[in-house]
Amino acid sequence: MPAPIVVTALSYAAVAGAAYALSRRQARAQPERHERTLDDLPEGLAADAGKTADGMRGDGHVAWTRDVRFGADGPGFRVDARALGRFRLTRLPQRA
């Protein structure tokens, strides 16, 4: 009688393990794509606004990089701040 329970438990464990491995692989791929997008932003601040067929929109980005050193030849660090943003306002039809 315990044999079917063991087989069922092992099959559930195999499915759970495969799902976990697949989710970990996809979780690593997503941030790499996002990092590439942020790295490609030009230095500075840019914003754009306009109208679309169904409303208004605004989007922009900022990229700021600075080197900070302690003394002329001392140790330091680089500050790299980047952000993307979007704002969309859409008019909804009146409820009946």
Side-chain angles (χ1 to χ4, degrees):
M1 192 67 142
I5 294 172
V6 171
V7 171
T8 303
L10 288 176
S11 64
Y12 276 120
V15 170
Y20 176 75
L22 182 64
S23 71
R24 296 300 298 163
R25 193 179 88 203
Q26 288 178 347
R28 280 192 301 264
Q30 189 79 353
E32 291 172 5
R33 195 175 73 208
H34 292 174
E35 286 289 328
R36 258 195 323 274
T37 300
L38 290 173
D39 288 341
D40 291 343
L41 289 177
E43 185 83 13
L45 173 70
D48 185 30
K51 289 189 173 188
T52 61
D54 59 349
M56 298 171 30
R57 65 155 185 81
D59 50 47
H61 74 265
V62 61
W64 183 78
T65 305
R66 294 294 178 263
D67 293 340
V68 179
R69 293 210 168 269
F70 301 106
D73 296 327
F77 55 92
R78 174 168 288 153
V79 178
D80 184 9
R82 296 172 187 270
L84 292 171
R86 177 177 67 188
F87 176 78
R88 192 176 348 190
L89 183 63
T90 305
R91 178 169 284 174
L92 299 175
Q94 188 174 3
R95 291 187 185 187

